[in-house]
Amino acid sequence: MTEKPSPALFTLYGIKNCDTIKKARRFLDAQQTNYQYHDYRLNGLSDETLQRFINTLGWQALLNTRGTTWRKLAEEEKATIDNAQAAKALMLAQPAIIKRPLLAAADGSMLLGFTETDYQQFIRRSHNMFCPVIELAQQLIRRPSLSPDDAGCQALMIERLQAIGFTIEPINIADTKNFWAWRGQGETLAFAGHTDVVPPGDTSRWINPPFEPTIRDGMLFGRGAADMKGSLAAMVVAAERFVAANPHHRGRLAFLITSDEEANATHGTVKVVEHLMARQERLDYCLVGEPSSTVQVGDVVKNGRRGSITANLTIHGVQGHVAYPHLADNPVHRALPALNELVATEWDRGNEFFPPTSMQIANVRAGTGSNNVIPGELFVQFNFRFSTELTDGDIRQRVAALLERHQLPYTLEWKLSGQPFLTSRGKLVDAVINAVEHYTETRPELQTTGGTSDGRFIARMGAQVVELGPVNATIHKINECVKASDLQLLSRMYQRIMEQLIA
Ligand SMILES: [Zn+2]
């Protein structure tokens, strides 16, 4: 690993010839804790560090009113220390007055005073935060990979995968970085995902800078934490553990990673899939790490997605003066009954896995800006989110028939963004359900809701495709975050899926 070794996980603050500091250090040494010692007298105490202490612990707790330094103060001086500002100034001038020891973990949490049980608990809790999944997720978040820029995320993943015997095939197209990686042969399970993220928005509204990952109260914050660098970290670490336990696995484990999912998705997964299909690459099962969960990790698994197609319709008329309608042909008037029928149509009733197909008008535009002009054209844009009960061909045909019936002169352009796909019950769905149930004791719900995903492209390879990822409540938002323990669970789930399908 080229990443510089991570700094100490803990910092112990204090003053050298103090008994409790000595005790605390003896304890940390005996536990082989990865810590550094910071002496207020030797290493100083900055305003900024003290402010962090005060923010986290409160100035009253920090002020050691039982120690000799405090007792030596004049009563009048003691009386002035009744607010954070005054206490801070005093502590900066006389750090010996700060309660010792102070143990700070790299995630910002702190512990004052020393008892063996407190230390044991604090260290154990902090170590959970520093599992390899969280660490890799943080390394990925630190790389500001605004779509379609990869910013070195894939290099980091590739290095880890290469180290455990994966063969890597970069498939870089235009501004987009993609790679396909595999280990072993035969029946193939691929993990798919994207390294790109959406822009952070107004960075001043983030509690912490969006590309400086932080952990607060067990939540990992940062752009991409949930969508989907957390999943990527969970996948890579799952692969590492799986390979260590099953060096001669039966099937093939693969990765399909892109840096263009959030923006245009033109040079990303779709191109990799075309490339792989051209040489008849085998893909049986594909797990996409998109954030599918709603309240707890694994409560929702996506086993398909609706299709999406957009119509850009122009109804033609004849422009004229509103006072002389007989000399014009008003396209708005002509179109209204047709639009009404369009809105009232039941396209299908959905099925076991899909809600009924929905059509929504996204835009209607006509008029020249004058109240005395009959417009020459009416433009309408509408979008279908459609189930597997329909094909895009059916939709095109039914819309054309409707317009014909209303005898409308029109031009119509279609834009298909994605075909629907569905993976019904089978080995992959079963393995995913089993993995979730094993770790959470809840049975995941199979859903096909939400926008499109790269799963639509991968399904073309004939693979079973399922999406399982973290909770999606904050994706694309300010202060995007994910529960650190969810990522750890997710990694275990991914590993269990590997074990069931290709061990
Ligand atoms: Zn995503």
Side-chain angles (χ1 to χ4, degrees):
M1 277 164 245
T2 53
E3 196 77 7
K4 64 176 187 305
S6 40
L9 296 185
F10 300 94
T11 307
L12 183 75
Y13 292 89
I15 282 172
K16 222 177 204 160
N17 40 22
C18 153
D19 279 347
T20 16
I21 292 292
K22 284 179 192 157
K23 261 192 261 172
R25 295 193 69 174
R26 263 201 301 277
F27 178 85
L28 293 173
D29 290 336
Q31 305 274 314
Q32 296 184 319
T33 311
N34 175 10
Y35 82 102
Q36 59 190 10
Y37 172 63
H38 183 111
D39 194 288
Y40 296 132
R41 289 191 177 133
L42 297 175
N43 312 100
L45 173 62
S46 69
D47 192 291
E48 199 191 349
T49 305
L50 183 56
Q51 191 59 51
R52 266 197 299 123
F53 294 172
I54 293 173
N55 293 347
T56 308
L57 300 162
W59 66 270
Q60 295 93 335
L62 277 167
L63 198 61
N64 183 8
T65 50
R66 291 207 211 147
T68 47
T69 323
W70 175 262
R71 276 191 262 131
K72 279 184 201 156
L73 291 182
E75 286 306 318
E76 311 83 82
E77 192 173 2
K78 286 182 192 167
T80 63
I81 311 300
D82 59 355
N83 62 77
Q85 212 44 40
K88 187 173 160 187
L90 176 65
M91 289 189 270
L92 278 175
Q94 303 194 51
I97 212 160
I98 300 171
K99 191 166 178 199
R100 303 184 292 266
L102 189 157
L103 184 63
D107 70 347
S109 54
M110 294 173 196
L111 178 66
L112 258 186
F114 170 76
T115 73
E116 288 202 359
T117 18
D118 283 353
Y119 265 46
Q120 244 149 13
Q121 270 176 14
F122 186 76
I123 290 166
R124 194 178 321 119
R125 190 198 61 83
S126 303
H127 272 149
N128 287 337
M129 294 296 149
F130 292 102
C131 83
V133 180
I134 308 304
E135 190 135 25
L136 180 55
Q138 290 180 311
Q139 289 173 2
L140 290 169
I141 292 170
R142 255 176 234 127
R143 291 162 168 75
S145 51
L146 292 177
S147 193
D149 189 1
D150 166 69
C153 293
Q154 291 182 18
L156 191 59
M157 295 177 70
I158 284 172
E159 192 180 297
R160 299 277 288 253
L161 293 173
Q162 252 167 350
I164 50 168
F166 274 78
T167 306
I168 313 287
E169 182 183 355
I171 306 171
N172 299 331
I173 300 162
D175 53 5
T176 302
K177 275 203 152 63
N178 308 294
F179 76 86
W180 169 249
W182 69 93
R183 186 185 197 277
Q185 50 191 343
E187 203 169 30
T188 303
L189 164 65
F191 280 74
H194 59 90
T195 51
D196 57 323
V197 296
V198 295
D202 181 357
T203 48
S204 70
R205 289 179 54 213
W206 284 71
I207 312 175
N208 280 97
F211 300 109
E212 287 171 29
T214 40
I215 299 176
R216 287 162 178 266
D217 300 327
M219 303 294 286
L220 170 64
F221 284 84
R223 176 54 89 224
D227 186 10
M228 56 174 280
K229 292 178 170 178
S231 320
L232 296 177
M235 289 173 186
V236 170
V237 173
E240 287 171 345
R241 290 171 176 157
F242 172 76
V243 166
N246 309 275
H248 307 293
H249 47 89
R250 179 178 52 78
R252 183 165 73 145
L253 184 59
F255 278 78
L256 194 174
I257 305 296
T258 180
S259 70
D260 180 23
E261 195 274 342
E262 300 287 11
N264 302 321
T266 43
H267 298 129
T269 304
V270 62
K271 288 286 158 57
V272 178
V273 164
E274 280 168 15
H275 181 82
L276 297 179
M277 281 174 82
R279 64 171 193 231
Q280 280 152 12
E281 192 78 47
R282 178 171 184 175
L283 184 52
D284 301 272
Y285 315 107
C286 183
L287 195 299
V288 185
E290 287 292 350
S292 61
S293 307
T294 56
V295 178
Q296 76 170 74
V297 63
D299 61 356
V300 173
V301 161
K302 302 246 159 120
N303 65 327
R305 291 282 185 143
R306 292 184 292 181
S308 170
I309 188 168
T310 300
N312 292 306
L313 171 68
T314 308
I315 312 279
H316 304 286
V318 176
Q319 185 174 327
H321 197 296
V322 294
Y324 303 93
H326 55 288
L327 299 178
D329 180 10
N330 192 327
V332 181
H333 292 196
R334 273 172 162 281
L336 284 177
L339 294 183
N340 199 30
E341 192 179 327
L342 197 65
V343 170
T345 300
E346 179 185 80
W347 301 93
D348 64 35
R349 295 185 167 177
N351 55 34
E352 186 191 348
F353 292 106
F354 286 90
T357 292
S358 125
M359 188 286 303
Q360 292 296 317
I361 294 180
N363 197 357
V364 177
R365 203 165 60 218
T368 61
S370 280
N371 69 346
N372 61 2
V373 178
I374 291 170
E377 282 183 346
L378 169 74
F379 171 79
V380 189
Q381 185 179 60
F382 47 100
N383 174 272
F384 289 86
R385 293 298 159 113
F386 60 106
S387 77
T388 44
E389 294 295 296
L390 289 178
T391 65
D392 67 290
D394 295 336
I395 292 173
R396 292 173 206 246
Q397 228 169 44
R398 284 172 65 180
V399 170
L402 188 152
L403 297 171
E404 301 296 338
R405 236 183 0 263
H406 289 268
Q407 299 183 317
L408 293 173
Y410 68 89
T411 13
L412 179 55
E413 275 168 32
W414 289 101
K415 195 177 175 297
L416 176 69
S417 350
Q419 295 283 7
F421 70 93
L422 175 69
T423 297
S424 40
R425 294 304 293 255
K427 279 173 85 175
L428 179 60
V429 169
D430 289 349
V432 170
I433 291 178
N434 171 296
V436 173
E437 278 184 327
H438 183 81
Y439 287 104
T440 66
E441 288 168 17
T442 25
R443 196 173 176 77
E445 200 182 311
L446 295 174
Q447 282 186 8
T448 58
T449 50
T452 60
S453 87
D454 273 356
R456 69 195 143 139
F457 304 125
I458 299 162
R460 286 186 206 159
M461 292 181 75
Q464 299 177 27
V465 181
V466 167
E467 297 174 24
L468 166 64
V471 171
N472 56 25
T474 61
I475 59 172
H476 296 204
K477 293 188 179 172
I478 304 265
N479 293 322
E480 177 178 346
C481 60
V482 67
K483 214 178 183 179
S485 58
D486 274 1
L487 293 185
Q488 295 164 339
L489 266 184
L490 191 62
S491 184
R492 295 294 178 191
M493 290 173 185
Y494 287 164
Q495 189 184 344
R496 200 170 166 88
I497 293 166
M498 296 170 188
E499 274 155 7
Q500 291 175 81
L501 294 172
I502 54 162

mmCIF file of all heavy atoms in Angstrom, residues 194 227-228 261-262 290-291 476, ligand 1:
data_model
loop_
_atom_site.group_PDB
_atom_site.id
_atom_site.type_symbol
_atom_site.label_atom_id
_atom_site.label_comp_id
_atom_site.label_asym_id
_atom_site.label_seq_id
_atom_site.Cartn_x
_atom_site.Cartn_y
_atom_site.Cartn_z
ATOM 1 N N HIS A 194 -19.631 2.743 -8.861
ATOM 2 C CA HIS A 194 -19.028 3.931 -9.462
ATOM 3 C C HIS A 194 -18.215 4.709 -8.437
ATOM 4 O O HIS A 194 -18.603 4.808 -7.270
ATOM 5 C CB HIS A 194 -20.099 4.837 -10.093
ATOM 6 C CG HIS A 194 -21.143 5.333 -9.149
ATOM 7 N ND1 HIS A 194 -21.007 6.508 -8.442
ATOM 8 C CD2 HIS A 194 -22.347 4.834 -8.794
ATOM 9 C CE1 HIS A 194 -22.099 6.707 -7.702
ATOM 10 N NE2 HIS A 194 -22.925 5.702 -7.890
ATOM 11 N N ASP A 227 -23.194 7.123 -1.329
ATOM 12 C CA ASP A 227 -23.382 6.921 -2.790
ATOM 13 C C ASP A 227 -22.084 7.228 -3.507
ATOM 14 O O ASP A 227 -21.894 8.356 -3.914
ATOM 15 C CB ASP A 227 -24.517 7.801 -3.282
ATOM 16 C CG ASP A 227 -24.864 7.547 -4.739
ATOM 17 O OD1 ASP A 227 -24.357 6.569 -5.305
ATOM 18 O OD2 ASP A 227 -25.637 8.320 -5.306
ATOM 19 N N MET A 228 -21.178 6.236 -3.724
ATOM 20 C CA MET A 228 -21.229 4.941 -3.112
ATOM 21 C C MET A 228 -19.844 4.437 -2.750
ATOM 22 O O MET A 228 -19.491 3.302 -2.965
ATOM 23 C CB MET A 228 -21.980 3.952 -4.009
ATOM 24 C CG MET A 228 -21.386 3.848 -5.413
ATOM 25 S SD MET A 228 -22.207 2.521 -6.364
ATOM 26 C CE MET A 228 -21.336 1.106 -5.693
ATOM 27 N N GLU A 261 -21.225 7.526 -13.600
ATOM 28 C CA GLU A 261 -22.581 7.041 -13.363
ATOM 29 C C GLU A 261 -23.480 8.227 -13.060
ATOM 30 O O GLU A 261 -24.606 8.302 -13.511
ATOM 31 C CB GLU A 261 -22.603 6.056 -12.193
ATOM 32 C CG GLU A 261 -23.884 5.218 -12.100
ATOM 33 C CD GLU A 261 -25.020 5.902 -11.341
ATOM 34 O OE1 GLU A 261 -24.762 6.858 -10.593
ATOM 35 O OE2 GLU A 261 -26.179 5.488 -11.510
ATOM 36 N N GLU A 262 -22.945 9.193 -12.315
ATOM 37 C CA GLU A 262 -23.769 10.307 -11.854
ATOM 38 C C GLU A 262 -24.027 11.348 -12.948
ATOM 39 O O GLU A 262 -25.040 12.041 -12.903
ATOM 40 C CB GLU A 262 -23.103 10.990 -10.648
ATOM 41 C CG GLU A 262 -22.897 10.078 -9.448
ATOM 42 C CD GLU A 262 -24.206 9.750 -8.723
ATOM 43 O OE1 GLU A 262 -25.277 10.056 -9.263
ATOM 44 O OE2 GLU A 262 -24.129 9.172 -7.631
ATOM 45 N N GLU A 290 -25.300 0.163 -5.212
ATOM 46 C CA GLU A 290 -26.057 1.412 -5.043
ATOM 47 C C GLU A 290 -26.816 1.400 -3.718
ATOM 48 O O GLU A 290 -27.287 0.351 -3.274
ATOM 49 C CB GLU A 290 -27.061 1.587 -6.189
ATOM 50 C CG GLU A 290 -26.443 1.949 -7.519
ATOM 51 C CD GLU A 290 -25.819 3.337 -7.563
ATOM 52 O OE1 GLU A 290 -26.025 4.128 -6.615
ATOM 53 O OE2 GLU A 290 -25.115 3.618 -8.542
ATOM 54 N N PRO A 291 -26.941 2.559 -3.082
ATOM 55 C CA PRO A 291 -27.618 2.620 -1.778
ATOM 56 C C PRO A 291 -29.100 2.284 -1.893
ATOM 57 O O PRO A 291 -29.916 3.144 -2.187
ATOM 58 C CB PRO A 291 -27.403 4.071 -1.331
ATOM 59 C CG PRO A 291 -27.034 4.819 -2.562
ATOM 60 C CD PRO A 291 -26.394 3.852 -3.500
ATOM 61 N N HIS A 476 -26.745 12.514 -2.258
ATOM 62 C CA HIS A 476 -26.750 13.741 -3.058
ATOM 63 C C HIS A 476 -27.046 14.991 -2.212
ATOM 64 O O HIS A 476 -27.164 16.085 -2.744
ATOM 65 C CB HIS A 476 -27.745 13.666 -4.231
ATOM 66 C CG HIS A 476 -27.396 12.610 -5.244
ATOM 67 N ND1 HIS A 476 -27.811 12.671 -6.558
ATOM 68 C CD2 HIS A 476 -26.656 11.494 -5.156
ATOM 69 C CE1 HIS A 476 -27.348 11.608 -7.214
ATOM 70 N NE2 HIS A 476 -26.647 10.886 -6.383
HETATM 71 ZN ZN ZN B 1 -24.821 5.934 -7.027
#
